[in-house]
Amino acid sequence: MRKKARDALPGSSWSPLELNPNLPPERADIVVVGGGVMGWSVAYWLKQKERIPGGLKVVVVEKDPMYSQASTVLSAGGIRQQFSLPENIHLSLASADFMRNINEHLDVLNEEPVDLQFNQSGYLFLASEKVAHIMEENYSTQRQAGAKVSLLSPAQLKDRFPWINTDDVALASYGLENEGWFDPWTLLNAFRRKAMSMGVIQCCGEVTGVSKLFRHLEYQPVECAIVVNAAGAFSGKVAGMLGIGSGPKDSLAGIALPVEPRKRFIYVVHCPDGPGLDTPFLIDYSGVYFRREGLGGNYIAGASPEEAEEPDVSNLEVDHQFFEEKIWPSMAHRVPAFEKLKVTSAWAGFYDYNTFDQNGIIGMHPLINNMYFATGFSGHGLQHSPAVGRAVAELILDGNFKTLDLSRLGFGRILAQEPMMERNIV
Amino acid sequence: MSAPLTFLQRYFRRSALLLVARRPWSSSSQSSLPPFHTRLLLYLTQRFYDVEMLLSWRSKLKRRGVQKKNAYYSYTERFYGSNLATAYFILNLKGGFRYAGQPDWFRADRKGRFSWDFMNHKDTPIEDVDMSYTVFNYTGLNNLEGQQSLRTLSLRGCPEVDDWFLARLHMFQDSLEELDISHCPRITTGGLAALRNLKGLKRLDMSSLPRISTPGLVIILLEEMLPQCKITATGYDHSLREEGGEEEQKNHLQGQR
């Protein structure tokens, strides 16, 4: 009775028709497909850069509100500047700057400040004799771009980290600053909290179709001006809905978005005698990596499989044989203390793998003039997300890149079939 | 006579609990209420946009003030050299320093006034720096970048020193011997891992860091990481606190009944 009286008052939200409150609005200016860290970063920066408060209506669509399969929360959470492409180095530096001042950017009044739990432990890349020259070239590129990296000889390496076996290591590259790992879920939630406080609308649903005409056949169509494809591992599917890739082979319409999901495993191991607080994010030249997790002797390890042995992507089941055959021997060879370890847990996640050249695709498609891509980062999307979000917002609102020039990472290189390979991929 | 009093006591305790439960001020203090003006401001912020705007402006201005204080003294460096620029910066922030080879310290007093005698030593590098309780932060390290013979750095109680600052201390990795980061409210374990680069560190003071949750373990790991360094870490409560928490809760419930 009291409830009926309250509903009858003018301030209540009662209406005689049964509306479903979870549906997205009927009109929006920009729809961001994908609610991972990339999508929310784009949404935040769009709202940050709008000149009229409340002038831009942004909707973020995420099909899985539990984030059970999202690559963001399943990632190892590392950030590094040790890339070979200057654009990637600049993206990482800008993102590290953002994370350092994260409370200046993402602070919401009267809420707790953001604590990313950033471990400033640096990345350590090991190179054998065959690839040492590549590492030296990369070092000079990184130094020129402003990354604080140092090269270590095997003797210096042994002196700094006595627990490493430096038998076949010719050169090591060690990050001194702005490198380490953090909690990706906190970053995602910080972006989401700030974006929603600025008025971004979140919608939980799956994009099942994109049509250019204003005739609606699906559940709740959203009329919008611009779509940002930040769907990560599933962006190929979203691009396919627009017909990208379904045309004659040699035409512009025939080139598909070369992003597909690839499954990667992460294993949590416990080793009581392992290296201590100074363990960096160590990446061996065989592709095996590990880092410290917490203070109790736990480590996170993983590796990228060979091209021919890519695991099946229909589910997120973990293959424990892969650890026993490929990862453990390399780990035990590199750090003798790891011969006695125990796998406590493991999970799998998708890379939004760019089959063309394993680097991100940022920009518009030449045929469709209102779809922007921010995908295909192949394992380093999380660490670039703040800077890429800003770049996409600049593209949409200002028309071209303002702070970082990422035009080389656009769709043009795919059309011209000129890959920009990254020589440091894990 | 005592029954209505105890009833009143229980009523106030319950309403105080409700107030605290509604706003999570900090995870540790559960029994102390924030002061009245803070609660009043929160109440007004949730009802008026103007108050919200004023408060957000206030925090932005405060942040901008800190950044301005830590800005790079390029003008001073161009005309007087990097040592004098560093000295001037430290004195402006109300810190203190000592030149290499000179016995006495140069400091600013509480009102920010200092003597200009430090200008006599134009080419002497700075050896000891004391920035306790100042607003020194990451950007301010730009001013200290050229000091290759910095031996002591004291950052006791600095509110703006955080993990990124500690990571940037790698620029003093050859010369720094003594570091004092006690009472800094923003340092966490991840930042202490960054101290691995300071190979020459002989004394480290990390007392009373409020954001370290397992101080005993962290001290042991740090001692392993920096074997030649002597670590001072007082002000931590190493006693087991698990049982105490449960007993307190039980007493509370009994008191309420």
Side-chain angles (χ1 to χ4, degrees):
Chain A
M1 190 62 223
R2 221 182 269 173
K3 189 174 179 313
K4 282 194 194 160
R6 232 180 313 148
D7 284 343
L9 284 176
S12 74
S13 55
W14 181 85
S15 76
L17 306 164
E18 284 290 324
L19 297 168
N20 185 350
N22 294 327
L23 288 178
E26 287 186 6
R27 281 196 169 82
D29 290 320
I30 302 181
V31 170
V32 179
V33 178
V37 70
M38 199 59 79
W40 280 108
S41 167
V42 173
Y44 160 74
W45 278 107
L46 281 169
K47 277 307 226 185
Q48 172 80 5
K49 285 177 71 70
E50 67 177 5
R51 289 187 210 100
I52 307 168
L56 203 58
K57 189 160 181 184
V58 182
V59 171
V60 173
V61 181
E62 165 61 39
K63 77 171 178 199
D64 179 13
M66 296 293 121
Y67 291 96
S68 55
Q69 294 204 332
S71 314
T72 301
V73 296
L74 296 168
S75 93
I79 177 169
R80 60 177 160 116
Q81 276 85 45
Q82 298 182 45
F83 290 101
S84 62
L85 218 58
E87 276 88 1
N88 280 337
I89 307 175
H90 287 272
L91 278 173
S92 280
L93 278 172
S95 302
D97 267 342
F98 182 89
M99 284 188 231
R100 187 176 65 240
N101 298 319
I102 195 163
N103 276 310
E104 207 178 289
H105 296 282
L106 299 184
D107 199 15
V108 179
L109 196 62
N110 289 328
E111 301 256 358
E112 289 190 14
V114 183
D115 174 23
L116 275 183
Q117 291 158 38
F118 200 104
N119 276 281
Q120 306 267 357
S121 290
Y123 266 66
L124 180 66
F125 277 85
L126 301 176
S128 61
E129 279 139 39
K130 288 189 291 197
V131 291
H133 63 286
I134 302 182
M135 184 173 267
E136 280 177 24
E137 285 165 23
N138 288 349
Y139 170 76
S140 55
T141 323
Q142 289 151 17
R143 271 277 162 181
Q144 224 174 9
K148 307 278 195 299
V149 191
S150 66
L151 280 181
L152 297 173
S153 69
Q156 288 171 331
L157 186 65
K158 190 76 184 176
D159 185 44
R160 185 77 79 98
F161 303 109
W163 39 266
I164 292 187
N165 169 19
T166 54
D167 275 346
D168 39 357
V169 174
L171 196 59
S173 164
Y174 185 43
L176 293 168
E177 205 191 330
N178 286 334
E179 289 194 351
W181 58 88
F182 58 95
D183 182 22
W185 176 242
T186 315
L187 183 65
L188 175 64
N189 267 334
F191 270 128
R192 188 162 72 159
R193 184 181 77 173
K194 181 72 180 176
M196 288 183 69
S197 82
M198 297 205 281
V200 173
I201 301 167
Q202 176 183 26
C203 161
C204 303
E206 183 170 352
V207 173
T208 47
V210 185
S211 67
K212 286 201 244 177
L213 310 165
F214 295 138
R215 258 204 309 266
H216 319 299
L217 301 166
E218 312 292 352
Y219 304 101
Q220 169 63 298
V222 182
E223 290 179 25
C224 62
I226 291 173
V227 174
V228 176
N229 188 348
F234 312 109
S235 5
K237 207 166 71 157
V238 174
M241 288 176 200
L242 261 177
I244 297 177
S246 57
K249 207 73 198 344
D250 286 323
S251 70
L252 273 181
I255 302 178
L257 184 70
V259 175
E260 60 177 43
R262 291 276 174 101
K263 193 157 75 165
R264 294 284 179 267
F265 306 110
I266 289 187
Y267 304 90
V268 182
V269 301
H270 175 73
C271 176
D273 291 324
L277 194 61
D278 59 345
T279 322
F281 200 126
L282 199 150
I283 304 185
D284 200 28
Y285 59 79
S286 56
V288 171
Y289 61 85
F290 69 87
R291 68 153 170 93
R292 175 179 60 86
E293 169 66 33
L295 298 172
N298 293 314
Y299 304 88
I300 279 185
S304 287
E306 306 282 323
E307 275 285 339
E309 298 168 358
E310 286 287 345
D312 170 40
V313 293
S314 55
N315 55 24
L316 281 180
E317 300 283 324
V318 178
D319 178 12
H320 291 276
Q321 278 300 103
F322 183 68
F323 179 78
E324 310 248 340
E325 286 168 18
K326 297 275 163 34
I327 302 187
W328 197 353
S330 301
M331 276 173 77
H333 171 71
R334 188 55 58 211
V335 181
F338 279 157
E339 279 168 20
K340 300 196 275 304
L341 57 71
K342 202 169 113 144
V343 179
T344 45
S345 136
W347 67 81
F350 290 125
Y351 270 14
D352 47 346
Y353 196 79
N354 182 348
T355 47
F356 188 61
D357 57 5
Q358 289 92 57
N359 269 320
I361 303 175
I362 302 169
M364 265 191 335
H365 191 275
L367 282 185
I368 300 158
N369 61 356
N370 55 0
M371 179 175 249
Y372 290 84
F373 293 97
T375 174
F377 294 97
S378 318
H380 36 94
L382 173 68
Q383 56 186 286
H384 290 162
S385 56
V388 168
R390 186 176 59 183
V392 173
E394 284 169 2
L395 261 191
I396 295 178
L397 295 176
D398 298 334
N400 45 16
F401 295 110
K402 286 261 152 51
T403 41
L404 287 173
D405 184 15
L406 304 174
S407 36
R408 288 208 308 165
L409 285 177
F411 222 88
R413 72 188 199 270
I414 300 178
L415 300 173
Q417 293 289 309
E418 285 165 13
M420 292 201 323
M421 302 296 296
E422 168 67 49
R423 295 201 285 188
N424 242 348
I425 196 79
V426 254
Chain B
M1 191 57 207
S2 60
L5 273 179
T6 46
F7 170 72
L8 274 176
Q9 267 181 1
R10 249 181 273 145
Y11 174 73
F12 280 129
R13 219 182 304 160
R14 213 174 297 163
S15 57
L17 252 189
L18 281 176
L19 250 178
V20 171
R22 228 185 297 155
R23 321 179 201 304
W25 292 102
S26 70
S27 45
S28 50
S29 65
Q30 298 226 333
S31 49
S32 64
L33 271 184
F36 174 69
H37 60 271
T38 325
R39 274 182 286 141
L40 175 66
L41 274 179
L42 179 64
Y43 176 80
L44 290 176
T45 314
Q46 287 171 344
R47 278 158 181 76
F48 298 106
Y49 283 124
D50 317 332
V51 179
E52 187 184 341
M53 187 185 69
L54 285 172
L55 285 184
S56 62
W57 277 6
R58 189 181 86 162
S59 63
K60 267 195 215 141
L61 280 175
K62 219 162 96 175
R63 235 178 244 144
R64 212 178 294 175
V66 166
Q67 284 298 94
K68 242 174 112 165
K69 285 201 138 208
N70 279 291
Y72 183 50
Y73 283 36
S74 59
Y75 185 82
T76 325
E77 178 168 352
R78 192 150 48 105
F79 285 102
Y80 296 98
S82 68
N83 290 323
L84 282 185
T86 312
Y88 187 45
F89 167 75
I90 297 174
L91 288 172
N92 265 337
L93 246 63
K94 299 203 186 113
F97 67 93
R98 190 181 69 82
Y99 281 117
Q102 303 281 328
D104 27 73
W105 284 71
F106 291 91
R107 262 181 217 280
D109 65 1
R110 223 165 21 92
K111 293 209 181 135
R113 292 181 297 219
F114 48 86
S115 80
W116 293 88
D117 293 339
F118 73 92
M119 303 258 311
N120 299 335
H121 312 278
K122 212 174 155 169
D123 295 318
T124 340
I126 295 181
E127 211 172 49
D128 298 342
V129 171
D130 175 17
M131 301 293 275
S132 338
Y133 302 103
T134 58
V135 290
F136 194 31
N137 76 0
Y138 182 92
T139 348
L141 270 178
N142 286 333
N143 285 307
L144 252 66
E145 195 152 358
Q147 299 301 321
Q148 291 302 321
S149 51
L150 187 69
R151 243 188 20 179
T152 334
L153 182 59
S154 169
L155 300 163
R156 190 189 166 90
C158 287
E160 301 281 328
V161 160
D162 57 1
D163 298 341
W164 299 86
F165 184 101
L166 289 182
R168 201 173 176 190
L169 285 181
H170 73 84
M171 62 172 116
F172 303 125
Q173 59 186 350
D174 299 318
S175 59
L176 196 66
E177 283 175 16
E178 188 175 322
L179 181 63
D180 179 359
I181 44 173
S182 50
H183 300 91
C184 289
R186 285 206 194 174
I187 294 184
T188 66
T189 329
L192 293 176
L195 295 176
R196 72 197 180 283
N197 285 321
L198 300 173
K199 307 181 285 253
L201 199 64
K202 293 212 180 68
R203 273 185 302 281
L204 173 67
D205 187 345
M206 43 167 283
S207 320
S208 309
L209 290 173
R211 281 177 68 169
I212 298 201
S213 45
T214 51
L217 181 56
V218 170
I219 295 168
I220 294 174
L221 289 172
L222 264 181
E223 282 170 359
E224 259 180 45
M225 186 170 90
L226 299 166
Q228 71 279 13
C229 177
K230 180 172 167 315
I231 299 182
T232 320
T234 59
Y236 293 116
D237 181 15
H238 292 287
S239 62
L240 298 166
R241 242 173 296 139
E242 292 288 334
E243 310 268 23
E246 285 176 5
E247 275 179 24
E248 264 178 29
Q249 270 191 2
K250 254 193 283 183
N251 287 337
H252 206 73
L253 287 171
Q254 281 172 0
Q256 273 199 339
R257 229 174 288 129

